[in-house]
Amino acid sequence: MGIHGNATCVMNYDGAVGYLLGEEHKGLRTMFIMMNAARLGVAVQGLSQGTVAYQNAVAYCQERLQGRSLTGAKHPDLAADPIIVHPDIRRMLMTVRVFQEGARALAYWAGLQVDITRKHPDPETRRKADDLLGLLTPVMKTYFTDTGFTATNLCLQCFGGHGYIAQWGMEQFVRDARITQIYEGANGIQALDLVGRKLPANKGRAIQFFFTVVGGFCEKYENNAALSPFVKPLTEALERLVTATQWLMRHAISNPDNGGAVSMDYLYMVALVALGYQWAQVARICENQLSNPDDDSFDRRFYQNKLVCAGFFMDKVLPETMTHLARIEAGADSLMRLDAEVF
Ligand SMILES: Cc1cc2nc3c(=O)[nH]c(=O)nc-3n(C[C@H](O)[C@H](O)[C@H](O)COP(=O)(O)OP(=O)(O)OC[C@H]3O[C@@H](n4cnc5c(N)ncnc54)[C@H](O)[C@@H]3O)c2cc1C
């Protein structure tokens, strides 16, 4: 379907000699050292596909003339306005933009955790970073690749018919991005890893630490008026995630199908809160940078634009946590009721 530059083939090891690598009975654990790094790599691959598609879509939307702005012609001298004036085109571009900028911040944060696990002198700090990384790996792998694929698709849509044909290269981004949702463990399996392994491990220590990190930020800035448009929605989304976690703890043991049925919604909630946390951090840095109105020693518009994007994420993306929570609380019942043979 895609990645034709990659030499993919089937390799059969029938009759081959196997050599023991590492200790006996520790094979799976050893393999996961490679696997976790690869999953973060694939996460960034999904994000990158979304980013290159975005760059192409922005260039096209600035140039392509079609229709007039709903609020009156923006370029009356031209035969039509460039399509970037249209709200629906904005919806697609902004959705992709806040995904890829937020995801990039989260990827850097995860990279920082990798460094801490390897180099920090304090073992407790190393352990906490390792917990966070373990929790975030399946979340980033799935959210970045699902949304990376969606991003390539939205950017193709910005091209209209020109997106569908091969000439502009947009359909290739869609085809190439699709594999990232499958290899290094299909995304459904990542969600099971999160709910079945990462969440209950060490009595929920990793998710509790994640709550402490995000909740601590929200508490610290809860009375900061300038940051309120970012901190308030993040606090509410975090509360929803806590409710979802409690629901899982209560209902997944009594009926294991509940855990499987809601695993993807739960993963998305963790991802959205993690991205919301990154965007709130971005807003904090921007507000701080812009706090002196007389200081024009830097590009003020860069920081102002970041604040607009942070606001879009809070208004238009983070509310998805409400839908995910509603789906989680509906459990597995309607999902599992049809007999397999009637599908
Ligand atoms: C282009 C390409 C390159 C690849 N490169 C490599 C490589 O270099 N090395 C390598 O080892 N492999 C490679 N793979 C294999 C890849 O990792 C697997 O295809 C992938 O992990 C999914 O496994 P599967 O195909 O067996 O799907 P299956 O395990 O059959 O899964 C099918 C579907 O069922 C779902 N599913 C399966 N089990 C469960 C469950 N218990 N609960 C809920 N849902 C479930 C999955 O989420 C998926 O949606 C490559 C694949 C492709 C297409």
Side-chain angles (χ1 to χ4, degrees):
M1 181 176 177
I3 59 168
H4 293 307
N6 193 62
T8 304
C9 66
V10 175
M11 292 179 69
N12 292 313
Y13 292 98
D14 301 339
V17 178
Y19 296 94
L20 183 66
L21 297 177
E23 288 177 56
E24 213 172 345
H25 304 307
K26 299 262 170 72
L28 199 63
R29 194 185 296 176
T30 307
M31 185 204 62
F32 267 105
I33 297 172
M34 177 276 291
M35 202 73 163
N36 283 334
R39 284 176 175 171
L40 289 173
V42 172
V44 174
Q45 191 182 358
L47 160 60
S48 310
Q49 294 282 7
T51 301
V52 70
Y54 172 80
Q55 289 168 359
N56 281 264
V58 168
Y60 187 82
C61 294
Q62 302 276 18
E63 274 180 14
R64 167 71 171 163
L65 305 180
Q66 192 67 267
R68 283 293 182 197
S69 162
L70 295 170
T71 52
K74 295 288 177 285
H75 294 270
D77 50 316
L78 299 176
D81 283 331
I83 58 175
I84 199 158
V85 303
H86 303 312
D88 190 58
I89 289 285
R90 294 291 190 109
R91 172 187 63 81
M92 295 189 277
L93 291 179
M94 286 297 284
T95 301
V96 177
R97 180 171 176 151
V98 300
F99 154 63
Q100 46 112 3
E101 288 188 11
R104 209 151 58 218
L106 184 56
Y108 281 127
W109 193 53
L112 177 65
Q113 306 310 319
V114 174
D115 288 351
I116 293 171
T117 59
R118 290 182 184 166
K119 299 285 183 193
H120 202 283
D122 174 34
E124 179 68 3
T125 309
R126 286 203 301 274
R127 197 221 7 102
K128 284 179 174 168
D130 198 51
D131 277 356
L132 268 183
L133 209 53
L135 188 79
L136 287 175
T137 298
V139 172
M140 288 171 60
K141 196 285 180 178
T142 296
Y143 189 82
F144 286 19
T145 60
D146 278 1
T147 319
F149 174 71
T150 305
T152 58
N153 228 344
L154 286 173
C155 291
L156 179 150
Q157 188 73 14
C158 290
F159 281 68
H162 289 281
Y164 193 77
I165 60 173
Q167 182 188 353
W168 292 82
M170 297 304 286
E171 53 82 46
Q172 187 189 330
F173 295 140
V174 178
R175 285 186 291 103
D176 286 351
R178 190 60 183 84
I179 185 59
T180 61
Q181 296 168 278
I182 298 170
Y183 62 12
E184 298 304 345
N187 284 357
I189 303 302
Q190 306 293 327
L192 288 181
D193 175 45
L194 175 68
V195 166
R197 284 217 292 262
K198 301 294 170 56
L199 209 57
N202 304 304
K203 300 195 178 113
R205 193 175 71 192
I207 192 76
Q208 290 302 334
F209 182 56
F210 179 72
F211 292 160
T212 309
V213 171
V214 181
F217 174 89
C218 293
E219 265 175 38
K220 187 170 176 189
Y221 294 102
E222 69 181 339
N223 296 321
N224 182 318
L227 288 182
S228 166
F230 313 102
V231 172
K232 192 166 172 290
L234 178 61
T235 307
E236 289 165 1
L238 179 63
E239 281 164 6
R240 277 176 218 124
L241 179 59
V242 172
T243 306
T245 309
Q246 288 164 348
W247 188 94
L248 256 176
M249 280 158 44
R250 276 202 306 276
H251 296 90
I253 294 170
S254 57
N255 176 7
D257 272 344
N258 276 331
V262 308
S263 57
M264 195 56 97
D265 283 299
Y266 185 80
L267 182 146
Y268 269 68
M269 285 190 88
V270 178
L272 288 162
V273 170
L275 251 72
Y277 173 58
Q278 295 305 315
W279 271 117
Q281 290 276 18
V282 167
R284 176 186 63 78
I285 291 164
C286 292
E287 288 290 357
N288 193 38
Q289 183 75 14
L290 294 165
S291 59
N292 179 357
D294 300 325
D295 184 358
D296 55 6
S297 62
F298 59 93
D299 181 4
R300 295 188 78 82
R301 261 183 42 161
F302 173 84
Y303 291 90
Q304 286 157 351
N305 291 343
K306 282 274 182 198
L307 281 173
V308 173
C309 291
F312 181 90
F313 184 88
M314 299 301 168
D315 288 351
K316 300 281 193 184
V317 183
L318 201 53
E320 287 170 13
T321 50
M322 292 186 222
T323 306
H324 290 301
L325 178 58
R327 282 200 203 128
I328 287 172
E329 291 180 331
D333 281 358
S334 58
L335 199 99
M336 300 306 289
R337 213 174 297 148
L338 281 186
D339 291 333
E341 61 270 20
V342 304
F343 273 85

